[in-house]
Amino acid sequence: PKDLVLRKAFYESERLFFSFYDEDKREGYKNFVKVLDLKGKELGLVPYDPEKVKTGMYGKAIAAQMGSMYEGFANVEGKGYVCVYQSPAKTGGVNVQMIGLNGRLKWEKNFTAEKGDRSDIYMIGSTPNTLLFFRLDRGGVMKQDGEIFLMGIDTDNGKERFTKSLEVGEIAYEPMLTKNIGDGKLKVVSSMTNSGSKFYKATPIGISIGELNDMTGEIKRLKDFTFQQDLNTVLDMKSETKSEEGYLKAHDLCFMPDGNMILVGEFFRRTVSAIGVASKFLSSNGRASSATQATIGDMFLLRINKDFKATALEKVDKDKERYSLPSDVMSIGLIIKWLNY
């Protein structure tokens, strides 16, 4: 049907995975997955029914407004597929489905906060062993700050493998991308902020490249690049983004045969949306829409040598893009996820 939405498609181990959204529930569900073999034979249909999950006033509203940022789909090498849906519960969190290569549900679990608290969780990557999530735990739905963690879930049974703090000393890390380059060591690129800052309003101070052990959650930091000290010879964030509130949006980390690296990304910054401000002003409760937008600038190639020294920055000029954000209060990682979406 013309209004059936294909949300995601993957190939894995001679199987094809399709995630659909159907407002009219022609298959009986709004959200469902189909797995086919390479001859087009349907192996299984797995639905997702959010009505089975306990809802809450704030949780349901946030899930409706910002669900696409927390949701995610990925193939799990040699094992199948994972589907992540934002929980409509007041305590937040996500509902996770692990689907096997046979097209059948292997396990389904909810990960959330204790009563009275709230967890904001989104997936940042997967390995054959572990599903990797960023987790922000707050003392309530209205709190704008909290503790941040890397959470690992066992792909075989859905049990929590580890929960590791992402605050190290005076620095807080929020992963932007993970990449397996074939050497068995998972690379992770993170945004860095001061851990003493309010998390949702913290200004980035740099980026970090590390190696992640997917069984323990330990991250070996290969290099923390600060804008002021490590990147100042090739990158002036105020010049690039016209604001001290500048951000980098990492797309890929490419490794060359000689050991050098290229970080591919874009500049962006938070700006005020005139339409959003007017909408808030005219709204009786001030909640009509967000007054904040993201303005995406030029693309860049940041060259890093094998000794982890930034050697050059090459820009690709392009027109600016502006997108209204669903909320005035969003972390860097969530903004990046929203812009990628």
Side-chain angles (χ1 to χ4, degrees):
K2 62 181 181 180
D3 55 350
L4 179 68
V5 179
L6 174 62
R7 306 177 69 186
K8 204 72 175 180
F10 291 109
Y11 168 82
E12 175 59 46
S13 303
E14 299 190 351
R15 297 289 186 268
L16 299 172
F17 163 98
F18 299 94
S19 171
F20 294 102
Y21 176 79
D22 183 5
E23 181 70 30
D24 295 330
K25 296 185 178 181
R26 277 173 287 261
E27 296 272 3
Y29 308 94
K30 285 188 177 182
N31 300 281
F32 62 94
V33 163
K34 284 188 176 184
V35 178
L36 285 68
D37 65 16
L38 295 187
K39 293 182 179 180
K41 179 182 177 182
E42 185 177 317
L43 302 178
L45 184 151
V46 180
Y48 171 70
D49 187 0
E51 297 303 322
K52 296 189 301 183
V53 183
K54 184 178 180 182
T55 62
M57 179 176 64
Y58 288 105
K60 196 167 185 179
I62 293 174
Q65 181 186 27
M66 301 168 64
S68 58
M69 288 185 299
Y70 295 91
E71 293 175 0
F73 307 90
N75 58 308
V76 180
E77 185 179 352
K79 293 187 175 180
Y81 315 90
V82 59
C83 302
V84 180
Y85 304 92
Q86 186 185 6
S87 170
K90 183 178 180 179
T91 50
V94 291
N95 305 313
V96 182
Q97 290 183 333
M98 182 69 195
I99 299 171
L101 293 170
N102 59 0
R104 297 178 182 176
L105 184 67
K106 293 179 68 174
W107 52 262
E108 181 175 12
K109 292 198 175 180
N110 170 261
F111 299 94
T112 187
E114 300 294 330
K115 185 177 180 181
D117 296 332
R118 182 172 174 85
S119 284
D120 296 307
I121 303 172
Y122 64 86
M123 186 168 63
I124 58 174
S126 66
T127 73
N129 304 310
T130 309
L131 307 177
L132 300 165
F133 293 85
F134 175 84
R135 177 169 183 159
L136 168 65
D137 285 354
R138 297 181 282 164
V141 70
M142 304 305 291
K143 297 288 184 180
Q144 295 187 13
D145 200 16
E147 299 179 281
I148 57 175
F149 303 94
L150 176 69
M151 184 173 72
I153 304 301
D154 193 317
T155 56
D156 290 326
N157 52 36
K159 293 182 179 179
E160 192 172 312
R161 194 185 288 280
F162 57 78
T163 298
K164 295 284 186 179
S165 174
L166 286 171
E167 295 187 45
V168 181
E170 297 180 352
I171 298 178
Y173 299 84
E174 185 170 7
M176 289 188 283
L177 70 88
T178 59
K179 184 169 185 180
N180 191 335
I181 62 169
D183 62 356
K185 298 176 181 178
L186 189 68
K187 300 299 188 291
V188 56
V189 180
S190 304
S191 177
M192 298 162 50
T193 59
N194 289 314
S195 58
S197 304
K198 286 291 184 183
F199 182 73
Y200 278 123
K201 296 183 178 180
T203 301
I205 60 173
I207 56 174
S208 174
I209 299 176
E211 287 180 350
L212 170 63
N213 184 322
D214 67 331
M215 299 296 287
T216 66
E218 297 294 335
I219 297 178
K220 177 184 177 183
R221 297 194 306 282
L222 300 177
K223 178 66 176 180
D224 286 353
F225 295 93
T226 62
F227 294 142
Q228 289 187 345
Q229 296 180 354
D230 301 291
L231 298 177
N232 63 341
T233 58
V234 297
L235 172 64
D236 181 355
M237 284 298 289
K238 187 171 183 178
S239 173
E240 299 294 348
T241 64
K242 310 296 187 294
S243 167
E244 293 288 0
E245 300 288 320
Y247 304 85
L248 296 181
K249 179 176 182 288
H251 288 293
D252 199 3
L253 182 64
C254 305
F255 288 81
M256 305 295 107
D258 59 4
N260 295 327
M261 293 157 279
I262 299 177
L263 181 67
V264 183
E266 289 174 298
F267 299 106
F268 77 95
R269 59 195 175 103
R270 285 174 172 165
T271 53
V272 176
S273 166
I275 295 177
V277 172
S279 177
K280 276 185 172 290
F281 179 77
L282 295 173
S283 172
S284 59
N285 57 16
R287 296 179 182 176
S289 65
S290 169
T292 308
Q293 65 183 8
T295 299
I296 305 175
D298 294 332
M299 181 180 173
F300 68 83
L301 305 175
L302 176 63
R303 296 187 178 273
I304 303 168
N305 66 22
K306 56 188 175 183
D307 296 320
F308 289 96
K309 181 179 180 180
T311 59
L313 182 86
E314 301 169 29
K315 288 198 301 180
V316 180
D317 295 336
K318 60 184 182 64
D319 293 336
K320 288 183 172 58
E321 303 169 78
R322 294 179 175 85
Y323 295 94
S324 295
L325 298 177
S327 171
D328 292 320
V329 184
M330 291 173 63
S331 70
I332 300 167
L334 278 181
I335 293 176
I336 291 172
K337 233 177 118 58
W338 172 257
L339 295 177
N340 287 341
Y341 177 82

